[in-house]
């Protein structure tokens, strides 16, 4: 969607320097400022915990400073390339903000993506897709193939003036079958074979096919009047996603003393986090709305 919106309603037939400057200026408010704000909150959160527990403050040092907004953190989950190399994704100190970091970089490279899509008539997406499936693309901080593929995917639809729903509906049953099969395979091999490449095929197949199924299903419900768009739903959901890391540790401690564990505890934990963050969102929206403009990139 980011790629689609980036090239949506460009002023001229060709992507111009004026378009690039205008869109880059806009991304300062929608991406860069929120990115810095969330990472700043995470640093403050870590320092508060260090003060409370009497720990060290080595998060702020000459050695770590260059990495805080780039590759300070590392995902536990690993990916195995087609060449058998196991790689780990990195992120800033606010780890879940890795995709914002990557979007900033990809947006800066938008003219190159425009050129590749127009010159290859969209076939470059197939190459990006092969890199995505094989994970042969180097895990370079700030330029992960996941972001490059999905941004280019949306950009292709925007540049070619294609409708997501119309295109996805041509393959709705195929996507549904692929989604179900991929999900079953991934579930059966959960946390197994992490040092082999083949699960990546099903992971990527599941993500792509499921995204298309959800778009078709949602569009059908909207057309039938069974679903209505709610103002603010996107912002509140985005806030919950970005805010949940700050509560996970405390919720896990609370759940550890509960008489039940497993799936019931997991659902309880999710409910606690969602309700708590919805309350925070409602409070900020009513009393200090400018904070949401900063954190969520609202203009």
């Amino acid at each position: 969607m980011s790629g689609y919106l980036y090239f949506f309603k460009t002023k001229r037939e060709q992507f111009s320097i004026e378009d690039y400057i205008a869109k880059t200026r806009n991304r300062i408010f929608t991406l860069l400022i929120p990115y810095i704000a969330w990472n700043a909150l995470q640093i403050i959160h870590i320092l508060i915990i260090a003060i409370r527990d009497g720990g060290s403050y080595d998060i702020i040092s000459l050695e770590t400073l260059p990495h805080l907004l780039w590759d300070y953190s590392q995902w536990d989950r690993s990916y195995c390339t087609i060449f058998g190399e196991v790689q780990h994704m990195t992120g800033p100190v606010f780890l879940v903000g890795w995709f914002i970091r990557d979007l900033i970089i990809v947006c800066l490279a938008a003219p190159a993506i425009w050129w590749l899509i127009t010159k290859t008539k969209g076939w470059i997406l197939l190459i990006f897709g092969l890199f995505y499936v094989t994970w042969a693309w180097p895990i370079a901080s700030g330029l992960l193939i996941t972001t490059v593929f999905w941004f280019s995917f949306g950009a292709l639809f925007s540049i070619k003036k294609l409708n997501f729903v119309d295109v996805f509906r041509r393959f709705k049953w195929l996507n549904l079958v692929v989604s179900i099969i991929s999900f079953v395979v991934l579930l059966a091999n959960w946390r197994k074979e992490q040092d082999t490449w083949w699960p990546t095929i099903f992971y990527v197949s599941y993500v792509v096919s499921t995204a298309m199924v959800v778009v078709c299903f949602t569009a059908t419900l909207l057309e039938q009047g069974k679903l209505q768009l709610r103002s603010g739903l996107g912002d509140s959901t985005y806030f919950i996603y970005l805010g949940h890391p700050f509560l996970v540790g405390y919720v896990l401690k609370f759940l550890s003393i509960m008489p039940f564990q497993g799936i019931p505890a997991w659902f309880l934990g999710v409910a606690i986090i969602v309700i708590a963050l919805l309350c925070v969102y409602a409070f900020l929206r009513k009393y200090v709305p400018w904070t949401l403009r900063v954190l969520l990139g609202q203009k």
Side-chain angles (χ1 to χ4, degrees):
M1 185 57 71
S2 296
Y4 184 87
L5 294 176
Y6 189 94
F7 293 107
F8 187 63
K9 290 184 178 180
T10 51
K11 295 181 180 180
R12 296 173 176 83
E13 186 67 19
Q14 294 296 321
F15 191 61
S16 66
I17 186 64
E18 290 81 6
D19 293 324
Y20 181 64
I21 293 174
K23 291 178 181 296
T24 300
R25 186 184 298 116
N26 181 62
R27 265 60 187 180
I28 292 176
F29 297 97
T30 59
L31 293 176
L32 182 59
I33 292 177
Y35 182 70
I36 294 174
W38 283 104
N39 278 282
L41 287 176
Q42 178 72 335
I43 293 173
I44 294 172
H45 183 234
I46 293 174
L47 289 176
I48 290 175
I49 293 176
I51 294 173
R52 183 196 65 187
D53 299 339
S56 63
Y57 310 98
D58 56 357
I59 187 174
I60 304 295
S61 67
L62 292 177
E63 181 180 351
T64 62
L65 204 56
H67 301 278
L68 289 176
L69 296 179
W70 193 251
D71 59 355
Y72 181 85
S73 307
Q74 178 176 282
W75 287 99
D76 290 334
R77 181 177 181 178
S78 62
Y79 293 89
C80 185
T81 70
I82 193 174
F83 307 113
E85 180 184 1
V86 178
Q87 299 181 340
H88 291 269
M89 291 170 55
T90 64
V93 63
F94 181 62
L95 181 54
V96 299
W98 68 269
F99 72 95
I100 307 178
R101 174 201 66 186
D102 284 24
L103 275 178
I104 293 172
I105 302 303
V106 172
C107 286
L108 291 175
I113 292 177
W114 170 280
W115 185 86
L116 287 171
I117 290 176
T118 54
K119 292 300 180 181
T120 64
K121 297 182 179 180
W123 288 103
I124 187 63
L125 192 65
L126 179 60
I127 298 177
F128 288 155
L130 290 174
F131 275 119
Y132 191 18
V133 170
T134 61
W135 216 255
W137 185 283
I139 294 191
S141 298
L143 205 61
L144 295 176
I145 186 57
T146 305
T147 311
V148 173
F149 172 80
W150 284 109
F151 185 90
S152 301
F153 186 89
L156 174 65
F157 276 76
S158 187
I159 293 170
K160 298 294 183 180
K161 310 302 180 185
L162 300 173
N163 185 289
F164 282 113
V165 178
D166 292 341
V167 175
F168 292 172
R169 277 178 173 165
R170 300 176 190 173
F171 313 98
K172 60 181 179 181
W173 296 115
L174 174 62
N175 284 323
L176 181 60
V177 172
V178 171
S179 177
I180 294 173
I181 293 176
S182 300
F183 177 76
V184 171
V185 173
L186 290 173
L187 190 63
N189 291 274
W190 181 250
R191 296 195 177 278
K192 297 179 182 178
E193 304 291 343
Q194 292 294 319
D195 57 346
T196 59
W197 163 68
W198 70 265
T200 306
I201 301 176
F202 291 96
Y203 169 73
V204 174
S205 299
Y206 172 72
V207 171
V208 175
S209 60
T210 303
M212 294 183 180
V213 169
V214 170
V215 168
C216 293
F217 181 69
T218 304
T220 300
L221 292 179
L222 287 171
E223 291 168 355
Q224 295 176 351
K226 297 179 179 179
L227 184 68
Q228 294 182 350
L229 295 176
R230 298 291 182 180
S231 176
L233 182 60
D235 286 342
S236 60
T237 303
Y238 190 36
F239 182 81
I240 290 171
Y241 170 74
L242 291 174
H244 83 272
F246 295 96
L247 300 182
V248 168
Y250 304 105
V251 172
L252 288 176
K253 287 183 180 180
F254 169 73
L255 294 177
S256 65
I257 64 174
M258 298 300 291
F260 54 86
Q261 298 297 319
I263 294 179
W266 183 88
F267 276 107
L268 176 61
V270 171
I272 292 174
I273 291 174
V274 170
I275 293 173
L277 289 174
L278 280 176
C279 291
V280 174
Y281 175 83
F283 176 84
L284 295 177
R285 185 177 182 181
K286 183 175 181 179
Y287 296 105
V288 276
W290 65 268
T291 58
L292 293 179
R293 290 195 291 271
V294 172
L295 294 174
L296 303 181
Q298 300 169 340
K299 293 186 67 177

